[in-house]
Amino acid sequence: MLGRMSLAVTGTIGIDTVYTPRERREGVLGGSAAYFAAGASFLSPVRLVAVVGDDWPSAHRDALGRFKGICLKGLETRPGSRTFSWGGRYFEDVNQRETLFTEVGVLQEAPPRVPDAYRDTQFVFLGNTHPAVQADFIDQFPQRKLVVCDTMDLWIKTAHGELLSLLKRVDGVVLNDTEAHELTGIRNAVSAARHITTLGPTFAVVKKGEHGAVLVHRDGVAVLPAFPATEDRVIDPTGAGDSFAGGMMGHLARLGRTDFRAIRDALSWGTVVASFTIESFGPERLQALTEAELNERHEQFRSALGVGS
Ligand code: AMP
């Protein structure tokens, strides 16, 4: 075992509007990097690289700043720019979501730079943003040992070529089943994940919402169900994917491992972190979460799986 490694996330910080079948919320703290960092912070310190406009509410900065493990040195506020904002609507089947709008705002300007103090980071997660920007971040981490990326419908449709170039340069990919289907044209999650590993990455994780996740790695295949949450606990699934990735990468960074078995075990941490995220709008539930609660639910999950260590 190598021991704890440093972890960084690049991606978006956004202001979300979320419609669920029961409620509508505006001005919610969101973005791929925000959810990732919030989720990872329970397992490993995490360095955040993102940019917001000067319209970003100070309450959101305070909320992120209160997560013990998140370093905000790499969060740039750009005067005169507008923060990225996204709206989405969930259907009665909460695995189904449609994007209502995406206002890229500051994302169409120059991306933020990785601070010098972060350049020694070994574990890097390239959260959702334009794939060309994700690729540019890679070289800014010269000591990287593991680089994992995510992507989303918008980029699969509008930046396909750049996405394929990015995939050649990363070790792993984490995405949901709809995205895996859009990217590969293959509906079966295992086949889609396997196909993705022929495009460059050593492994692909495909998340299937309440149906769990599959991992296809050059050294093996693993499956994991979702945490068995009852319907009343699912308030807003936004950020489940990003915080899943946060829990997974946070666990890998704290172990300092990148092998198949470690990634397989890390999926359970991602699953449990995501199970908290969906219990509220935005990262509110994660804000209230304690490490003890996280560990306790992880134990419950292990016992629900009925497997040993
Ligand atoms: P998830 O539910 O894990 O897929 O992530 C939802 C979060 O991703 C929301 O908080 C959005 O602000 C953010 N988001 C939505 N669309 C994009 C996009 N095209 N690029 C980057 N982040 C996005």
Side-chain angles (χ1 to χ4, degrees):
M1 193 193 287
L2 297 171
R4 191 181 280 283
M5 299 265 166
S6 45
L7 172 65
V9 57
T10 66
T12 56
I13 299 279
I15 302 175
D16 290 350
T17 301
V18 181
Y19 292 76
T20 69
R22 269 152 286 287
E23 219 179 317
R24 168 194 166 150
R25 285 278 186 100
E26 287 182 26
V28 181
L29 167 58
S32 53
Y35 277 113
F36 179 97
S41 69
F42 293 93
L43 300 151
S44 164
V46 53
R47 302 162 162 182
L48 185 142
V49 181
V51 57
V52 291
D54 53 13
D55 57 343
W56 199 51
S58 59
H60 285 184
R61 174 180 296 274
D62 295 344
L64 270 187
R66 276 196 293 272
F67 283 92
K68 195 168 79 226
I70 303 181
C71 174
L72 294 180
K73 211 179 282 168
L75 176 58
E76 180 189 336
T77 304
R78 202 164 290 166
S81 299
R82 287 193 71 76
T83 303
F84 167 76
S85 108
W86 173 83
R89 182 166 78 94
Y90 292 88
F91 297 91
E92 281 295 337
D93 170 2
V94 290
N95 287 316
Q96 302 293 325
R97 169 172 88 191
E98 68 173 345
T99 291
L100 299 175
F101 64 86
T102 306
E103 286 169 18
V104 288
V106 68
L107 298 193
Q108 67 202 338
E109 303 169 16
R113 302 295 306 164
V114 174
D116 286 344
Y118 289 5
R119 287 177 64 86
D120 61 356
T121 307
Q122 291 130 330
F123 282 43
V124 178
F125 187 75
L126 305 170
N128 237 309
T129 190
H130 194 292
V133 173
Q134 289 175 299
D136 267 356
F137 281 126
I138 296 177
D139 296 317
Q140 296 182 57
F141 294 103
Q143 297 190 39
R144 60 191 180 271
K145 293 205 163 17
L146 182 75
V147 180
V148 179
C149 78
D150 185 7
T151 193
M152 216 159 174
D153 48 0
L154 177 70
W155 312 119
I156 295 170
K157 287 192 193 101
T158 64
H160 204 80
E162 285 114 319
L163 182 55
L164 292 180
S165 308
L166 172 71
L167 292 180
K168 292 199 178 80
R169 303 198 52 211
V170 298
D171 303 298
V173 182
V174 179
L175 73 191
N176 70 33
D177 47 356
T178 316
E179 293 153 356
H181 174 220
E182 279 171 343
L183 176 61
T184 63
I186 302 168
R187 249 180 222 290
N188 176 282
V190 181
S191 306
R194 190 170 297 290
H195 182 79
I196 292 168
T197 62
T198 67
L199 303 175
T202 307
F203 71 90
V205 177
V206 177
K207 297 158 292 156
K208 302 189 292 169
E210 63 178 320
H211 305 300
V214 304
L215 161 68
V216 173
H217 189 284
R218 295 215 179 123
D219 296 333
V221 176
V223 289
L224 201 71
F227 183 79
T230 47
E231 207 173 40
D232 54 309
R233 303 299 288 260
V234 185
I235 304 298
D236 168 20
T238 309
D242 300 307
S243 60
F244 173 99
M248 178 188 122
M249 291 291 286
H251 180 69
L252 291 174
R254 76 174 167 181
L255 293 182
R257 282 175 50 188
T258 62
D259 57 287
F260 168 69
R261 287 173 69 97
I263 298 167
R264 191 187 61 189
D265 292 346
L267 297 186
S268 67
W269 289 97
T271 300
V272 172
V273 169
S275 78
F276 284 108
T277 305
I278 64 177
E279 289 182 2
S280 74
F281 281 91
E284 283 166 23
R285 180 67 184 94
L286 295 178
Q287 280 166 248
L289 183 66
T290 65
E291 226 174 288
E293 280 178 303
L294 179 68
N295 290 334
E296 190 187 326
R297 189 172 288 186
H298 190 260
E299 272 311 310
Q300 281 171 10
F301 186 46
R302 281 211 341 212
S303 93
L305 290 174
V307 291
S309 62

